[in-house]
Amino acid sequence: MLLIPAIDLKDGGCVRLRQGDMAGATVYSERPAEMAKQWLAQGARRLHIVDLNGAVAGRPKNEPAIKDIVKAIGDEIPIQLGGGIRDLDTIERYLDDGVAYVIIGTAAVKTPGFLHDACGAFPGHIIVGLDAKDGKVAVDGWSKMTGHEVGDLAKKFQDYGVEAVIYTDIGRDGMLSGINVEATVRLAQQLTIPVIASGGLSTLDDVRRLCAVESEGIPAAITGRAIYEGSIDFREAQTLADSLTPPLTTT
């Protein structure tokens, strides 16, 4: 089980939100690149970055901070990046800068043709992010609910050729209330591509529960508030995960 530290960017700083509320952001660092190096030093084998301003605006807003992070960690570990990615030129620019995987969320739901084109143009580099509550997908920074079932969309996007699905239970994200393992397993069982768990990971017991279902197709989980506020020690958590399941190859 691969644990992936999240670096959420707002106004150039590293923050965490509760249930996507931009007004309630907690700032953890004004130097995201230093935070990235910290997680690398603690054994991270991949980083998850979200341009929060970009997700709201529909276009990149924190590119200088993103470039600083890529420069800081070099080629040592892959970076997956989402937030405000709405066109192929933006994807190409980020990949050229050194980002390994680009995450498409709202645009995948609203303009699936764009996701299809992205998978064709950049095979192996596109991840889709599906944020859901009670099985229904949300868009626009979680501000709008759709009528789409998360499983139906995920299967459709799998056929497009996405590399993986990041599944976030938006009722739990940033709340330290525990991963929704059952819903994540239900989604993974419908797919042949990996599902990355996200939203609510808060204790080592959550890590154990995820490792127990890794064979269902859930090889990784994103962690944010828990590692910033100290309810989980990242190095200890990754060491535990490695002891329970073989390390995931990240390249």
Side-chain angles (χ1 to χ4, degrees):
M1 177 65 61
L2 178 68
L3 301 181
I4 309 174
I7 296 180
D8 289 356
L9 299 172
K10 180 176 184 284
D11 304 331
C14 175
V15 307
R16 291 301 293 170
L17 308 182
R18 292 181 184 273
Q19 296 181 313
D21 180 11
M22 289 285 279
T26 301
V27 180
Y28 290 109
S29 174
E30 297 290 353
R31 303 176 67 187
E34 293 303 314
M35 187 62 69
K37 288 195 287 187
Q38 175 183 315
W39 298 132
L40 177 63
Q42 291 190 30
R45 298 195 290 269
R46 186 184 291 196
L47 284 181
H48 176 80
I49 301 175
V50 179
D51 180 348
L52 293 173
N53 301 106
V56 174
R59 61 186 185 280
K61 287 289 189 178
N62 282 283
E63 283 194 80
I66 293 164
K67 288 183 177 181
D68 286 346
I69 292 171
V70 174
K71 183 178 179 181
I73 66 172
D75 298 325
E76 296 194 60
I77 59 174
I79 290 172
Q80 58 188 46
L81 167 69
I85 298 168
R86 303 286 193 271
D87 58 73
L88 297 180
D89 287 344
T90 299
I91 296 174
E92 184 173 27
R93 188 166 70 250
Y94 277 141
L95 294 178
D96 286 345
D97 285 344
V99 171
Y101 304 100
V102 168
I103 303 161
I104 301 175
T106 291
V109 180
K110 288 188 167 183
T111 53
F114 163 59
L115 178 66
H116 188 275
D117 291 345
C119 290
F122 309 103
H125 294 282
I126 305 300
I127 294 174
V128 70
L130 292 176
D131 308 325
K133 185 175 183 179
D134 300 326
K136 301 293 186 180
V137 174
V139 295
D140 292 333
W142 306 349
S143 64
K144 298 175 184 175
M145 298 301 300
T146 73
H148 297 294
E149 292 285 345
V150 65
D152 293 341
L153 277 184
K155 286 185 283 188
K156 175 178 163 182
F157 297 156
Q158 174 178 268
D159 291 341
Y160 288 179
V162 299
E163 187 73 7
V165 172
I166 296 174
Y167 173 65
T168 303
D169 183 328
I170 64 175
R172 302 197 184 200
D173 188 76
M175 302 303 290
L176 300 180
S177 57
I179 289 272
N180 191 336
V181 174
E182 295 78 13
T184 307
V185 168
R186 284 197 298 271
L187 179 60
Q189 289 173 337
Q190 298 178 62
L191 306 174
T192 58
I193 57 175
V195 173
I196 299 173
S198 174
L201 190 147
S202 58
T203 67
L204 292 180
D205 281 341
D206 289 331
V207 176
R208 294 185 182 95
R209 292 174 67 211
L210 283 168
C211 288
V213 297
E214 180 172 2
S215 62
E216 299 287 354
I218 308 167
I222 296 165
T223 178
R225 184 174 291 272
I227 57 174
Y228 286 96
E229 297 194 348
S231 63
I232 286 181
D233 177 274
F234 179 79
R235 187 189 297 276
E236 180 185 7
Q238 186 62 75
T239 299
L240 172 64
D242 289 345
S243 74
L244 295 173
T245 58
L248 176 73
T249 300
T250 59
T251 55

